[in-house]
Amino acid sequence: MNEPAWTMGVEEEYLLVERETGALITKQPPGLMETVSNVRHGLVARELFDSQIEIGTDVCSNLKELRADIWVLRQAVAEAAAEYGMAPIAASSHPFARWLSQQYTDKERYRVLTADLQAVTRRLLISGLHVHVGIEDPDLRIDLMDQAAYFLPHLLALSTSSPFWEGRDTGLKCYRLTVGEALPRTGFPEKFSSWSEFRRHIDVLVRAGIIEDSTMVWWHIRPSERYPTVEMRVTDLPTRMEDTIALAAMYVCLMRMLWRLRQENRRWRSYANFLLSENLWRAERYGINGELMDFGRGVLVPFSDLLEELIELVRPDAEALNCVAEIEHTRTICERGTSADRQLAVYRGALEEGATEDEALKAVVDALIVDTIAPPEI
């Protein structure tokens, strides 16, 4: 089998806040989208709520191109928002926003979605990171998707950025998935033997009029409906850009590693979804500071140890794709903490210095604004 091109693309969903108060906006000002689009036309889009804006990179052939695209788009959104006294934050939840006060975006897809799902959509005030990896062969996409599911908890742990919900410390490093799991057709994907089997199952729901297409199947990883890619959707949105780049690099290298095993007539062992879900929960709860299950050994292992094993596992692929520095940056994430760790440190530090709850939460937003547009370090 010919080696896939390993093209990649990233989607990031930002929350728009008032610069002075840190509060999430309720209505997007007219002209904002047009201002951003003047910089990168066609790569910005509205999301479910008016307080969100999504960017999407071009199809990139390497991490250097991906980094350049994300940097330009983050800067474009920040500069456009500044004209209206606003700023974007790259985080999967706002520290103190109330979902009941948010307004939907006036778009046909979202009107259909909210009519169908009702109150479930009202709480979806969450943002994520989606990474696409180009794999031309459809059957190979299905095969690698199945095997890659094992590593989704590891990727989530490295990305956590949603520790707060409606002004409270949830006790979780990622609260976003708890909110998103209220949707139907979420979680780990079913195990399919081929592309045709996957399509047969999707078409059952399409013919019944339940869904329009597979974009309304919100698994943690899925074949894209529009592109010849496998889309990883499990992760929170990292606040710092270099963390997004590192996660994209780790994901594409994992996919190449699994393809490499296949070339040697080997494959990663498959485990039941309920076991994978246990590891995912541990990643949600503890992030990089906890332990995940090594199912092969049947023991809990500190995440930092598992990360070292992961880095060595994909090192040949990182060398082939020229992204060793990006892969090794995951160690930096583990050492300094994720966005969730930083948010909690800022919040607790402010309280210790005598700030009120509201002031401490505002300090978290201020830190998110700064980190969102911080220049890349790798």
Side-chain angles (χ1 to χ4, degrees):
M1 179 177 289
N2 293 331
E3 182 168 358
W6 307 121
T7 53
M8 60 200 78
V10 158
E11 298 161 3
E12 292 189 318
E13 300 163 344
Y14 308 133
L15 298 168
L16 297 169
V17 301
E18 297 174 356
R19 189 63 185 84
E20 185 176 344
T21 67
L24 193 64
I25 69 167
T26 56
K27 187 169 181 58
Q28 196 174 117
L32 176 64
M33 292 295 296
E34 291 73 16
T35 303
V36 180
S37 295
N38 286 338
V39 179
R40 292 303 298 269
H41 180 69
L43 295 176
V44 293
R46 293 182 180 274
E47 257 297 329
L48 176 62
F49 292 104
D50 231 22
S51 54
Q52 295 173 299
I53 186 168
E54 180 187 67
I55 63 98
T57 68
D58 274 328
V59 177
C60 300
S61 59
N62 54 56
L63 270 297
K64 181 180 180 180
E65 292 179 9
L66 191 71
R67 178 184 292 105
D69 252 21
I70 296 175
W71 177 240
V72 168
L73 287 161
R74 283 199 179 203
Q75 290 295 304
V77 174
E79 290 170 9
E83 295 184 18
Y84 299 88
M86 302 185 309
I89 59 171
S92 283
S93 67
H94 185 278
F96 58 87
R98 306 288 178 178
W99 54 267
L100 275 173
S101 65
Q102 292 300 302
Q103 296 186 31
Y104 293 127
T105 296
D106 187 17
K107 187 176 178 181
E108 177 63 21
R109 176 181 173 84
Y110 299 139
R111 287 194 292 269
V112 171
L113 190 66
T114 54
D116 181 30
L117 300 179
Q118 293 293 310
V120 170
T121 57
R122 294 285 294 172
R123 295 184 68 244
L124 292 178
L125 192 57
I126 50 177
S127 297
L129 165 70
H130 304 160
V131 182
H132 291 258
V133 167
I135 300 170
E136 296 83 356
D137 183 88
D139 286 327
L140 181 60
R141 291 202 291 273
I142 295 299
D143 184 29
L144 297 191
M145 177 184 77
D146 174 50
Q147 296 181 69
Y150 180 89
F151 300 100
L152 297 184
H154 305 70
L155 295 173
L156 175 63
L158 287 165
S159 72
T160 56
S161 67
S162 52
F164 293 101
W165 186 251
E166 296 202 330
R168 294 183 180 274
D169 175 358
T170 65
L172 278 65
K173 296 299 178 66
C174 165
Y175 193 70
R176 169 183 141 267
L177 286 188
T178 299
V179 176
E181 284 166 359
L183 285 168
R185 304 179 291 280
T186 56
F188 286 97
E190 297 292 334
K191 300 181 187 302
F192 301 104
S193 61
S194 65
W195 174 260
S196 60
E197 184 184 12
F198 162 73
R199 285 305 324 176
R200 283 198 301 272
H201 282 75
I202 295 296
D203 289 343
V204 169
L205 301 185
V206 172
R207 286 194 297 268
I210 295 173
I211 62 175
E212 181 179 343
D213 54 39
S214 65
T215 63
M216 301 186 77
V217 175
W218 297 290
W219 293 328
H220 297 321
I221 186 171
R222 70 182 183 186
S224 172
E225 176 76 18
R226 300 173 183 172
Y227 311 109
T229 67
V230 180
E231 179 189 7
M232 186 274 294
R233 304 169 47 84
V234 74
T235 45
D236 268 7
L237 174 60
T239 303
R240 297 191 68 93
M241 184 183 128
E242 68 264 23
D243 294 359
T244 286
I245 299 298
L247 280 162
M250 182 62 80
Y251 174 52
V252 70
C253 285
L254 283 168
M255 297 300 267
R256 189 182 187 278
M257 179 274 295
L258 295 171
W259 171 82
R260 180 163 49 84
L261 291 182
R262 179 184 168 112
Q263 297 305 100
E264 301 167 359
N265 292 318
R266 296 189 293 157
R267 63 182 290 114
W268 202 261
R269 184 175 175 183
S270 180
Y271 293 92
N273 282 350
F274 96 95
L275 290 178
L276 300 182
S277 296
E278 183 63 30
N279 257 0
L280 195 70
W281 159 248
R282 299 189 66 82
E284 290 178 65
R285 171 64 179 87
Y286 302 105
I288 58 174
N289 302 304
E291 301 171 314
L292 296 183
M293 189 76 173
D294 182 320
F295 296 119
R297 289 183 281 172
V299 295
L300 286 170
V301 180
F303 180 80
S304 57
D305 293 347
L306 291 174
L307 180 61
E308 289 301 320
E309 294 177 11
L310 209 56
I311 291 171
E312 292 311 308
L313 182 66
V314 303
R315 186 171 294 278
D317 310 285
E319 292 171 351
L321 298 175
N322 194 28
C323 59
V324 173
E326 287 81 0
I327 290 298
E328 292 186 342
H329 179 74
T330 57
R331 286 198 186 108
T332 301
I333 298 175
C334 218
E335 290 164 0
R336 63 145 156 82
T338 65
S339 173
D341 297 311
R342 171 147 162 75
Q343 290 178 54
L344 290 166
V346 169
Y347 172 73
R348 291 164 184 168
L351 291 178
E352 289 172 3
E353 292 175 2
T356 65
E357 287 279 340
D358 289 346
E359 290 169 339
L361 291 168
K362 169 62 163 53
V364 174
V365 177
D366 289 342
L368 287 170
I369 291 171
V370 171
D371 288 350
T372 295
I373 58 172
E377 298 175 357
I378 53 175

